[in-house]
Amino acid sequence: MIDDRSPDVLIVGGGVIGMSCAWRVARQGARVTVVESATIGDRLACSYGNQGLVCPSHAVPVAAPGVVAQGLRWLFDPTGPLYIRRPWRAGVLRWLWRFARASTPARAEAGTAAMAELLLRSAGLHARMAGAAAASDGGRPYGYAADGVLYAFLTQEGLRHHLEESRQAARYGIPFQQLTGDQVRQMEPALSPRVAGGVLYPGDAHLDSRSFVRWLHAQAIDAGVQVVEQTDVIRLQPGRPGGHASALTSRGEIGAGQIVIAAGAWSPRVAAGLGLRLPVQAAKGYSITFSRPPWRPRRPVNLGEARAVATPLPHGVRIGGTLELAGLDRSIALRRVQAILDGAGRVVPGARFDAGSADAEVWHGLRPLAPDALPIIGRPRAHPNLVLATAHGMLGVSLAPATGEAVAALIAGNRPAVDLRPYSPDRFA
Ligand SMILES: Cc1cc2nc3c(=O)[nH]c(=O)nc-3n(C[C@H](O)[C@H](O)[C@H](O)COP(=O)(O)OP(=O)(O)OC[C@H]3O[C@@H](n4cnc5c(N)ncnc54)[C@H](O)[C@@H]3O)c2cc1C
């Protein structure tokens, strides 16, 4: 049932970003309603089956020098790690052009500086939240573990190339440790004797994303948030300054003081008609979760050239990767799924990963990705009652606490802890 009192804040979307915002905003005393198309923690959301890394190590944006040339080589290979279906679709060519323009050394450096600050802030909040959750709920309610993330490379070239990123991120306070092939195998004995070297990021952590969203949901409910599930937001009326905003939903209209769009890859659809330029593409990725895994790493392992990550979870091991620009399409390309597993098998030769095995859950998620690979967090100039919290790309889990904190500051009219100018919704205007 929709509460007949207008909330102070209406949040569209109950993924990891929406729920983190809801909890933070409600904790400062505001009446908050979340409207979610599906249910909280549903498979449909990108927050369900991702790799769960909390990774400041990813501070260098994917829009970086060299990526365009590399991407062009992969582009039309239907089993490659990057695939664009029908690039001439509306908006895609323009998005790619913006992506190419964002991939200059100067912009990548500025992006890294900004992302390092936001990611480190968020990693600190994650650690505090996990500590508090363990103290109140006992154990690790969503499997948070601060064990770092290991990268393993089969070639010196792959390692050398990645080390450039490690050094760039290190300039902004993200530590790393270079490892020989033997050191990598000491940490993960099942890895191939061909592994030439690796990198350990000791400041990274991981968690089970679905449990994390459910935990945030429970915290939000405790803080008084009303969650309206199975309800689509169809159209928004953000209203005039000082006036009231409203949302037309599939179950009627809801008025609100302010509206936050946190609808992930669907955000451009939710914002349609508001006159905002929101070049967010859905970047599909896949994961396969094995409940009886043929190999269990001690900590998450990025399998280097295989462009896949393996994460140990309380209920199994998840292997995932790829980036496919195919719009809001929800189909699963099984040959791309098996290509991820074949790549993983080359790095872990003793394990046979089969997407068709009875214990394998195959999932796809749509990452909301802006062409400069930075999130969009802030108030658009044209709509003072509106806040955007979207385009978290490959880093929504990592960035959820800092985004929630920033949105809560914006709603309260306070200065956010992190400079939000690089994430301005107006930067594409
Ligand atoms: C394979 C893979 C691996 C990944 N690994 C990592 C990782 O290791 N670490 C990391 O930090 N990130 C990772 N990510 C990225 C991360 O999953 C996303 O950035 C994050 O989940 C985005 O969260 P969100 O809340 O913005 O979107 P979502 O989780 O997609 O939530 C958006 C919600 O909005 C709802 N919605 C949409 N339209 C409407 C509407 N009209 N009305 C009401 N509700 C609506 C949807 O139903 C959905 O629940 C990965 C992604 C993939 C695909």
Side-chain angles (χ1 to χ4, degrees), residues 58-68 95-112 165 168 323 369-374 394:
H58 268 53
V60 181
V62 274
V67 172
V68 175
W95 189 95
L96 289 170
W97 177 73
R98 284 177 183 275
F99 182 89
R101 284 208 334 178
S103 301
T104 63
R107 288 194 58 189
E109 193 69 38
T112 305
E165 262 183 42
Q168 191 173 350
L323 199 152
L369 190 61
D372 56 6
L374 303 185
M394 347 278 247

Side-chain angles (χ1 to χ4, degrees), residues 12-18 35-38 44-47 49-55 231-234 262-266 270 283-287 320-321 363 365-368 389-390 392-399:
V12 187
V16 74
I17 298 297
V35 179
E36 164 56 49
S37 285
L44 176 89
C46 195
S47 305
N50 60 60
Q51 294 303 128
L53 306 191
V54 175
C55 45
T231 304
D232 275 322
V233 168
I234 298 164
W266 297 270
V270 170
K284 193 193 283 181
Y286 298 108
S287 74
W363 171 83
L366 301 178
R367 308 173 182 96
T390 185
H392 290 77
M394 347 278 247
L395 292 168
V397 172
S398 304
L399 292 173

Side-chain angles (χ1 to χ4, degrees), residues 25 51 74 102 105 108 113 146 198 203 233 275 289 298 301 329 356 377 387 393 395-396 407:
V25 173
Q51 294 303 128
W74 284 329
V233 168
T289 307
R298 294 173 184 166
V301 183
D329 167 72
I377 308 168
V387 172
L395 292 168
V407 167

